[in-house]
Amino acid sequence: MSSGPAGGLRLEGITVHRAGIPVVRDVGFDAPRGAVTALLGANGAGKTTLLEAISGVLPVASGTVWFEGVDVTAALPEHRVGLGLAHVEQGRTVFADLTVEENLRVATSGSVAEAYRLFPELERRRHLPAGLLSGGEQQMLVIGRSLLMEPKLLMVDEISLGLAPVVVRRLIPIVRLLADRGVGILMVEQFATIALGVADRVVVLDRGSVVYDGEPGGLERQPELLHGAYLGRGSPTPSRREGLP
């Protein structure tokens, strides 16, 4: 009988339907602890659907989700959270009427000091309602709240969505820091330049199927995959050496 890695995420033959239509098809890859795994693909490729299936928001039609060596394919979302799986969804879902500190205390009965240490901007606004924060500050709050749950794997869906480049430059080093501390990161990102600059592994989805799974350098040597599956035909191929958009 197969099993998942001792630390991290393993997907085996995952198919997910929406309205009876397969959006994710036979997807398999590992997202280990201590590494950033970037999940790339065009809009509609199935990236968000896949994350929702991993976190238990959507059911899996077939295949197996292993997390920390446990088969969680049929587990409730709260059980996956208890095992150490955290999901930062699109949209920066803060509790708008609660203060910054109250938002953080939702995630822990202990200290919130670590969130403030990583994001000192939040400490300066600790008594401000979260709905009054800027988009970048709200993203910091959502990430900080997730980290207080002490996750073993953090899934982040479009960390840069709607944010200014200067804010993204503030957030991406935190992603790298967390991976270096042993947290697994599975990151969906719309800008290939950002993802390729921080990732240890890259998975590319094209119409719900994996067309690349490997190191970032290998993907750069196959630019047609980014043309066809991520940027669209005729778009320029990004490089890890390029700046942020």
Side-chain angles (χ1 to χ4, degrees):
M1 179 179 177
S2 63
S3 64
L9 173 75
R10 171 168 293 165
L11 306 180
E12 296 179 346
I14 296 298
T15 295
V16 186
H17 294 171
R18 283 189 183 273
I21 299 172
V23 176
V24 173
R25 300 174 176 86
D26 194 28
V27 166
F29 62 84
D30 289 356
R33 296 270 296 274
V36 177
T37 303
L39 184 60
L40 304 181
N43 289 338
K47 305 183 300 297
T48 294
T49 295
L50 181 59
L51 294 194
E52 290 177 343
I54 294 168
S55 64
V57 174
L58 289 177
V60 170
S62 62
T64 308
V65 179
W66 299 96
F67 183 61
E68 294 296 299
V70 178
D71 181 352
V72 297
T73 311
L76 294 173
E78 51 265 35
H79 178 66
R80 305 181 199 209
V81 170
L83 289 174
L85 179 63
H87 185 185
V88 176
E89 301 177 64
Q90 286 188 29
R92 298 186 281 277
T93 51
V94 301
F95 300 105
D97 295 331
L98 299 183
T99 67
V100 167
E101 180 134 346
E102 288 169 339
N103 267 267
L104 293 174
R105 293 200 176 280
V106 166
T108 180
S109 58
S111 172
V112 299
E114 178 65 6
Y116 289 146
R117 193 185 72 78
L118 290 174
F119 299 115
E121 300 92 333
L122 297 180
E123 187 169 20
R124 293 193 291 269
R125 293 159 175 76
R126 63 194 303 170
H127 301 303
L128 191 70
L132 299 181
L133 299 178
S134 69
E137 291 165 343
Q138 288 185 1
Q139 187 71 295
M140 293 176 193
L141 179 56
V142 172
I143 294 173
R145 189 174 64 198
S146 296
L147 296 180
L148 292 177
M149 299 164 62
E150 299 183 347
K152 296 173 182 175
L153 179 76
L154 178 65
M155 300 193 301
V156 184
D157 196 353
E158 300 284 16
I159 193 171
S160 69
L161 185 64
L163 300 181
V166 65
V167 178
V168 178
R169 291 189 183 98
R170 173 74 178 85
L171 293 173
I172 291 301
I174 299 295
V175 171
R176 184 68 261 169
L177 174 65
L178 295 173
D180 291 342
R181 289 181 177 179
V183 178
I185 306 290
L186 178 56
M187 183 177 75
V188 168
E189 179 48 53
Q190 60 180 327
F191 293 116
T193 50
I194 295 173
L196 295 175
V198 72
D200 301 294
R201 303 289 295 178
V202 179
V203 177
V204 179
L205 290 185
D206 186 0
R207 289 167 288 186
S209 298
V210 174
V211 294
Y212 181 84
D213 178 5
E215 297 181 354
L219 183 59
E220 289 184 342
R221 291 189 291 272
Q222 301 179 66
E224 69 279 0
L225 292 177
L226 284 178
H227 278 299
Y230 185 67
L231 296 174
R233 304 296 176 183
S235 299
T237 303
S239 166
R240 298 181 73 181
R241 294 171 292 279
E242 292 177 6
L244 294 173

